[in-house]
Amino acid sequence: MKTIAVYIKEKIKNHQRFIYNQIVHIKRFRMIVLGPFDQTEDTQYPFENFYNINKINDLGNFFRKMEVVAIHAHHGSHANEILPVAQEYQIPLIVSIRGRDGSAEPEIIAQSMRRYESLKEYGAMFIPVCEYLADGLKKMGFPEEKIHVLYGGIELDLFPFVEHVLPKKDEIRILSVGRLVEKKGHETLIQAFNLIHFLYPNARLHIVGEGENKQKLRTLIEQLMLNDAVILRGAITSPEIAEELKKAHIFCLASHKASSGDVEGIPNAIKEAMSIGIPIVTTEHGGIPEIMKHMETGYLTTEKDVLALARGFLYYIENPEVWRTLTRKARAVIEDKFDFKKQIKEQEYLYSLIQQENKRRLE
């Protein structure tokens, strides 16, 4: 069995379970993981075959012994770090593109093109998580024939469909899941919720996630006097997120382009919410329109539009009869295009293309 060597420049974070799954569930290839650090016993995402690349004395011999046919970096910045190694030992480099690393927005495109100058020449395959990011790579001059979109899959068993209904008297819970960073749009979300809370004092907003904007959001919550209505929950695990999605009534992710040019691909939180059957309000940002159609599988608004987000909440609160049809259509989209098991098979197929190209190159 041939080997794919995955390179990660740092430990997989709490919210990156999807990357872990794309490594440990591959069956057609032996998967090993390389990183410039030691794996510790307390890590949330342990690997059976992990190697500190800085402690490997003879990398050439290591790659030959392991029968490594490709190195896979799960982010553009990780790819740039391992690029010199791939070049030195003539190992094909596969690169996943997930968000900011594939942004071709005006604020960042010049920087991205400089950063990827060598990578786009040497890289064997580039795997953006949506067509939006694929288009960004093309704008930056990446060879179109090397670009293969691979949608990130969702564990359908972890996020099973649950019928959601609007409560008649109790708390109406709006849930948002995402790192507390600019592009997730929490400020717009809180401002929109403020309008809804005026009309429905029993509404509550629960925000799951950690990040650099936490204090900024706390200040906004205090300014709007929403201390008892907006709850910052901190970071939680994927199984815990699934339970929160089951208990909530409306999900919202108000993503928008950050001032730095940072963007989303297709947020996993959107996929998880669609899978579990909760009504969703979100934005026409990044790759989101590839997965969601307005008034068919969710409610889409323009970016940074407080009133539009509020109207989305009102639509669901005032029209609970649409929930069943809309959420079932959303679940069907996930089952069709974003089933984790199907996407793993597609990933294995992409690996096999690289293996076949290797054989032709060596003949």
Side-chain angles (χ1 to χ4, degrees):
M1 183 180 287
K2 300 299 183 180
T3 299
I4 303 293
V6 175
Y7 180 76
I8 53 176
K9 71 174 186 178
E10 57 191 2
K11 293 181 180 179
I12 292 178
K13 297 180 177 67
N14 181 59
H15 65 277
Q16 294 177 325
R17 178 186 175 103
F18 54 93
I19 293 178
Y20 182 72
N21 284 338
Q22 287 186 318
I23 298 170
V24 301
H25 290 285
I26 295 293
K27 303 300 182 187
R28 288 178 57 188
F29 293 82
R30 181 192 303 113
M31 302 298 288
I32 65 172
V33 181
L34 305 175
F37 55 87
D38 290 323
Q39 179 170 259
T40 55
E41 292 183 1
D42 61 348
T43 183
Q44 183 179 353
Y45 298 120
F47 294 105
E48 183 178 350
N49 298 304
F50 180 88
Y51 302 88
N52 184 331
I53 194 169
N54 294 328
K55 294 183 177 180
I56 301 173
N57 293 324
D58 186 340
L59 274 174
N61 184 57
F62 175 84
F63 289 138
R64 285 190 296 273
K65 183 178 179 181
M66 289 289 181
E67 296 186 277
V68 172
V69 294
I71 296 173
H72 186 174
H74 278 268
H75 192 277
S77 64
H78 296 214
N80 265 346
E81 191 165 291
I82 197 64
L83 176 60
V85 172
Q87 290 174 315
E88 180 177 352
Y89 297 100
Q90 289 297 294
I91 298 174
L93 181 56
I94 302 168
V95 187
S96 289
I97 301 293
R98 302 185 176 279
R100 178 187 176 90
D101 54 338
S103 175
E105 295 298 320
E107 298 87 345
I108 199 173
I109 187 169
Q111 175 188 338
S112 295
M113 290 180 72
R114 287 193 301 271
R115 183 174 63 229
Y116 292 146
E117 187 173 352
S118 297
L119 182 63
K120 66 185 179 184
E121 294 298 325
Y122 183 81
M125 181 179 288
F126 303 98
I127 308 179
V129 297
C130 60
E131 296 291 347
Y132 168 75
L133 292 176
D135 290 341
L137 293 180
K138 293 170 189 175
K139 289 177 184 176
M140 287 187 274
F142 282 76
E144 190 167 344
E145 67 275 10
K146 293 183 179 181
I147 299 172
H148 300 266
V149 173
L150 178 66
Y151 287 136
I154 291 299
E155 298 166 89
L156 300 183
D157 294 339
L158 181 58
F159 297 94
F161 185 86
V162 175
E163 202 78 54
H164 287 69
V165 295
L166 182 70
K168 294 181 179 179
K169 295 181 180 179
D170 298 329
E171 169 189 335
I172 300 173
R173 181 175 295 193
I174 299 171
L175 176 67
S176 187
V177 178
R179 290 177 296 125
L180 307 185
V181 296
E182 184 186 356
K183 70 177 179 180
K184 298 295 182 180
H186 292 105
E187 291 179 71
T188 306
L189 167 60
I190 292 169
Q191 291 166 351
F193 173 78
N194 187 43
L195 301 178
I196 295 301
H197 188 253
F198 179 78
L199 298 173
Y200 295 92
N202 59 325
R204 296 292 181 270
L205 173 60
H206 292 242
I207 298 176
V208 170
E210 286 287 349
E212 61 196 41
N213 282 359
K214 188 171 187 177
Q215 188 53 51
K216 189 176 184 180
L217 298 179
R218 284 191 190 279
T219 301
L220 177 61
I221 292 166
E222 291 172 2
Q223 289 173 344
L224 296 174
M225 295 184 288
L226 292 172
N227 300 65
D228 295 330
V230 179
I231 302 96
L232 300 180
R233 300 283 300 275
I236 60 178
T237 65
S238 292
E240 290 169 333
I241 289 172
E243 292 305 310
E244 292 301 321
L245 286 167
K246 292 174 186 176
K247 292 187 289 187
H249 305 106
I250 299 170
F251 181 85
C252 181
L253 191 61
S255 299
H256 63 78
K257 181 176 70 172
S259 55
S260 65
D262 191 5
V263 295
E264 303 264 32
I266 300 178
N268 280 286
I270 294 287
K271 297 178 231 173
E272 292 162 359
M274 290 176 70
S275 180
I276 223 158
I278 183 172
I280 299 168
V281 180
T282 188
T283 61
E284 298 169 330
H285 170 76
I288 294 173
E290 295 175 39
I291 190 174
M292 182 169 289
K293 303 303 178 188
H294 182 53
M295 306 291 277
E296 292 184 22
T297 52
Y299 193 101
L300 285 170
T301 78
T302 52
E303 296 181 24
K304 295 186 177 182
D305 193 331
V306 172
L307 289 176
L309 276 184
R311 282 195 292 268
F313 297 143
L314 280 178
Y315 173 72
Y316 287 124
I317 293 171
E318 296 177 354
N319 299 281
E321 71 278 1
V322 307
W323 288 26
R324 180 182 175 88
T325 300
L326 187 146
T327 56
R328 287 184 177 275
K329 286 182 179 179
R331 169 70 182 197
V333 170
I334 298 300
E335 291 179 352
D336 181 36
K337 294 184 177 180
F338 298 89
D339 180 351
F340 163 70
K341 294 177 181 177
K342 292 180 182 178
Q343 297 311 98
I344 284 292
K345 289 181 179 179
E346 180 66 17
Q347 185 176 332
E348 290 178 332
Y349 168 71
L350 293 177
Y351 285 161
S352 72
L353 293 180
I354 295 297
Q355 183 182 12
Q356 291 167 15
E357 182 61 31
N358 272 354
K359 288 181 180 178
R360 286 193 291 269
R361 183 166 56 87
L362 296 173
E363 286 176 354

